[in-house]
Amino acid sequence: MADLAPPARRLPTGAISAALVAATVLAVVLVPLFVPLDEQAVDLGSKLRPPSWSHPFGTDEVGRDLLLRSVYGLRVSLLVGAVAALVATVIGTAVGALAGALGGWADRVVMRVVDLFSSVPHLLLGIFVVAMFRPGVGPVIASIAVTHWLSTARIVRAEMLSLRSRPFVDAAVSGGSSRLRIAVRHLLPGVLPQAGLAAVLMVPHAIWHESALSFLGLGLPTHQASLGNMVQAARGSLLAGDWWPTLFPGLFIIVPTLAVAALAAAWRERLSPRRRSELTL
Amino acid sequence: MLELRGITAGYEPRRPVVRDASLTVAAGESVGLLGPSGCGKSTLARVAALLHRPDAGTVTLDGEPVRGWRHRAPREQRTAFGVVFQQPRMSADPRLRLHDLIAEPLRATGRRAEAPDRVRELAAATGLTADLLTRRPHEVSDGQLQRACLARALVLRPRWLVCDEMTAMLDASTTAALVAVVEDYRRETGAGLLAVGHDPVLLDRWCDRTVRWREVQEVQEAQQVQQVQASQKEALR
């Protein structure tokens, strides 16, 4: 048995993505502590400079340092993404748990409401929500949260329905537990890992949505450093051959969100160890 | 007295698993219900324990007709039954330690204060050590988990016990131990027992009387035989 080959090493995507996410969070927390950003400051003498040692990401069309604005923009994006994902998950878990725990006609009514929401394209619904308010972080979070709880609600409901038919629920009924106690003590703890995973998976999606809304000019106020705003502002100069105002903020959207997604994927594998063992064999 | 009359029950509309079944368990009596697997005896046991609403038929509990099942049954009626299921893995919440598993009905009914003493008492009766009580279901064997499930069924001192294939997954010595626990409890409290199983030797030795499934349910048995015969003819053709 000594000549058995050692198991093939897989790329530790979980560790790499965790390091990337940690670096991102550290950057957006630490940089603003040391380097303040004046949103209004312009320096027309040094506009659209390509990347250099003094401006590693170059400068934008009014001479602002793109690295610093990207970090600040990432901070806004992460905040919006995380809060929106959290709120959406709370709504989705509550709705899904209600449908799954009650079952019967309550389940049918709730799920038809979910279908109704799903039938409207969610970017359109999100635009409708932000259009009702003054531009700002709050309406953007609200517009993402109210359009993204649907999949979580479906996941939680399905999980609850499958748990609900287990004999341990029968045992709890026979032991005198109320419906609420069964839902809170036996069913919800069983679906929370799934809901948590759904929340993390939603963070990148929410960040893209924030960027998309800002890009359309409907999200955050235009002077505020946000990745979507920056990509939107850089469109004109891209056609003139100035690639850096688009590329670097774009990378700041893509790399951290992919890292969060990869982290969630690694977590999902941990949730189902059987699948993990099949994959490593 | 627990009386089931003309019970028809199933899980999908118009596809009953049990048709027109009747069964009586007198107070303090132990009745074995014997039948092949898949015949519907577990469903009948769930109807009797107020865990599954039948499509037709009546259940009478101590002279009073049962009006609701599961949460629609008053808590005193529901908790009058202690139920033990066939598969301990499925009937235990995987997140609860055995101690909490056994104490859960006391906590759910607002009798938290009694839990430590009652759990200690039942752990001794069912042969669970203090170490086992601190473990979660996946850290104990099927037999140990079933002991805990039996303890949970007894914790509220039910007047009726429904054991649905309680020992089907267990070895002979654990079976004997669990049956002894049930019989000790019944001697002490005078509780009635409905034991569902497929092992005639066990049920005949355990119970005051054993009822065959076809006695409970003449009609369906005949239909099943007809169906089997029809499909056999079909196969031969």
Side-chain angles (χ1 to χ4, degrees):
Chain A
M1 298 307 260
D3 56 348
L4 270 179
R9 281 276 174 84
R10 289 194 306 149
L11 198 64
T13 44
I16 293 172
S17 51
L20 267 174
V21 171
T24 309
V25 171
L26 271 182
V28 301
V29 169
L30 291 181
V31 168
L33 289 181
F34 297 108
V35 193
L37 173 72
D38 183 358
E39 303 266 10
Q40 318 287 345
V42 294
D43 178 7
L44 292 172
S46 59
K47 65 172 194 166
L48 286 175
R49 293 273 169 82
S52 65
W53 282 115
S54 55
H55 298 296
F57 283 12
T59 61
D60 68 3
E61 74 285 351
V62 286
R64 295 175 294 196
D65 180 53
L66 276 169
L67 175 59
L68 191 57
R69 280 185 75 79
S70 294
V71 171
Y72 272 82
L74 189 58
R75 186 167 75 142
V76 172
S77 292
L78 277 184
L79 178 75
V80 169
V83 175
L86 191 71
V87 175
T89 303
V90 169
I91 299 174
T93 307
V95 172
L98 192 74
L102 292 180
W105 65 266
D107 175 36
R108 283 196 287 276
V109 169
V110 170
M111 292 324 285
R112 285 305 81 75
V113 173
V114 170
D115 289 346
L116 188 73
F117 268 87
S118 321
S119 67
V120 185
H122 63 302
L123 185 58
L124 207 63
L125 196 60
I127 288 171
F128 177 73
V129 173
V130 284
M132 293 196 297
F133 300 97
R134 202 188 264 274
V137 173
V140 170
I141 291 176
S143 99
I144 297 168
V146 301
T147 50
H148 285 79
W149 53 273
L150 304 163
S151 58
T152 312
R154 288 216 178 92
I155 293 168
V156 168
R157 167 186 173 265
E159 221 25 60
M160 287 278 254
L161 282 181
S162 116
L163 285 176
R164 212 164 68 108
S165 60
R166 305 266 170 92
F168 71 74
V169 173
D170 279 352
V173 173
S174 183
S177 296
S178 64
R179 284 190 181 92
L180 183 67
R181 188 179 175 91
I182 290 175
V184 170
R185 186 156 169 83
H186 299 298
L187 301 181
L188 263 186
V191 302
L192 280 186
Q194 300 285 341
L197 177 62
V200 176
L201 275 171
M202 209 185 301
V203 171
H205 190 91
I207 290 175
W208 293 332
H209 254 271
E210 183 275 318
S211 303
L213 285 173
S214 297
F215 180 78
L216 292 172
L218 294 160
L220 302 170
T222 41
H223 68 270
Q224 189 166 9
S226 121
L227 297 171
N229 277 342
M230 292 165 70
V231 174
Q232 148 77 358
R235 261 191 325 161
S237 46
L238 181 65
L239 295 175
D242 301 328
W243 45 270
W244 55 92
T246 312
L247 179 73
F248 290 116
L251 281 180
F252 263 47
I253 298 175
I254 294 166
V255 173
T257 54
L258 286 185
V260 174
L263 197 62
W267 180 13
R268 181 163 53 194
E269 252 176 59
R270 282 187 69 89
L271 271 186
S272 52
R274 193 167 136 211
R275 214 180 104 213
R276 181 179 49 183
S277 70
E278 281 165 4
L279 284 175
T280 47
L281 275 174
Chain B
M1 178 89 112
L2 171 66
E3 223 179 334
L4 295 97
R5 285 265 159 273
I7 298 293
T8 297
Y11 300 90
E12 286 166 51
R14 288 180 295 282
R15 286 187 62 191
V17 181
V18 177
R19 271 194 204 109
D20 202 20
S22 299
L23 183 69
T24 305
V25 186
E29 189 190 21
S30 59
V31 174
L33 175 58
L34 188 66
S37 65
C39 71
K41 56 190 192 299
S42 291
T43 304
L44 191 64
R46 292 183 69 223
V47 171
L50 310 188
L51 290 173
H52 185 80
R53 187 170 59 83
D55 300 327
T58 55
V59 177
T60 315
L61 188 60
D62 299 323
E64 209 170 303
V66 170
R67 294 182 206 288
W69 274 261
R70 295 184 78 86
H71 285 111
R72 301 224 167 129
R75 187 184 260 172
E76 308 79 65
Q77 258 184 9
R78 268 191 280 153
T79 53
F81 290 90
V83 190
V84 188
F85 301 92
Q86 176 172 7
Q87 292 175 305
R89 297 273 155 225
M90 300 290 280
S91 52
D93 185 335
R95 275 166 303 274
L96 296 187
R97 298 181 186 282
L98 294 201
H99 179 279
D100 299 317
L101 184 85
I102 299 171
E104 178 61 21
L106 285 172
R107 290 177 185 159
T109 50
R111 291 157 62 185
R112 186 175 292 266
E114 299 169 40
D117 289 343
R118 189 80 181 116
V119 171
R120 207 172 303 125
E121 196 181 309
L122 282 166
T126 51
L128 290 170
T129 61
D131 164 54
L132 287 171
L133 288 178
T134 62
R135 299 201 204 167
R136 290 180 207 279
H138 69 272
E139 296 166 320
V140 302
S141 73
D142 274 0
Q144 289 161 340
L145 192 53
Q146 192 68 309
R147 286 167 191 264
C149 288
L150 176 59
R152 173 181 63 185
L154 298 178
V155 78
L156 293 177
R157 300 181 194 278
R159 281 178 290 132
W160 302 94
L161 275 171
V162 176
C163 299
D164 180 8
E165 298 267 23
M166 175 176 78
T167 59
M169 315 274 283
L170 308 176
D171 61 61
S173 68
T174 313
T175 300
L178 289 191
V179 169
V181 173
V182 170
E183 287 310 299
D184 286 346
Y185 174 78
R186 293 185 51 237
R187 210 171 303 123
E188 186 192 320
T189 59
L193 167 72
L194 175 60
V196 176
H198 61 264
D199 180 357
V201 180
L202 173 71
L203 289 185
D204 283 339
R205 285 197 56 182
W206 183 1
C207 301
D208 298 337
R209 71 189 164 92
T210 310
V211 183
R212 303 287 187 274
W213 182 249
R214 79 181 78 85
E215 301 164 31
V216 170
Q217 193 185 26
E218 303 279 1
V219 187
Q220 196 191 4
E221 193 79 3
Q223 281 176 345
Q224 275 179 344
V225 168
Q226 276 175 359
Q227 275 171 7
V228 169
Q229 284 172 343
S231 63
Q232 279 170 344
K233 272 183 195 163
E234 198 74 23
L236 284 172
R237 214 174 275 160

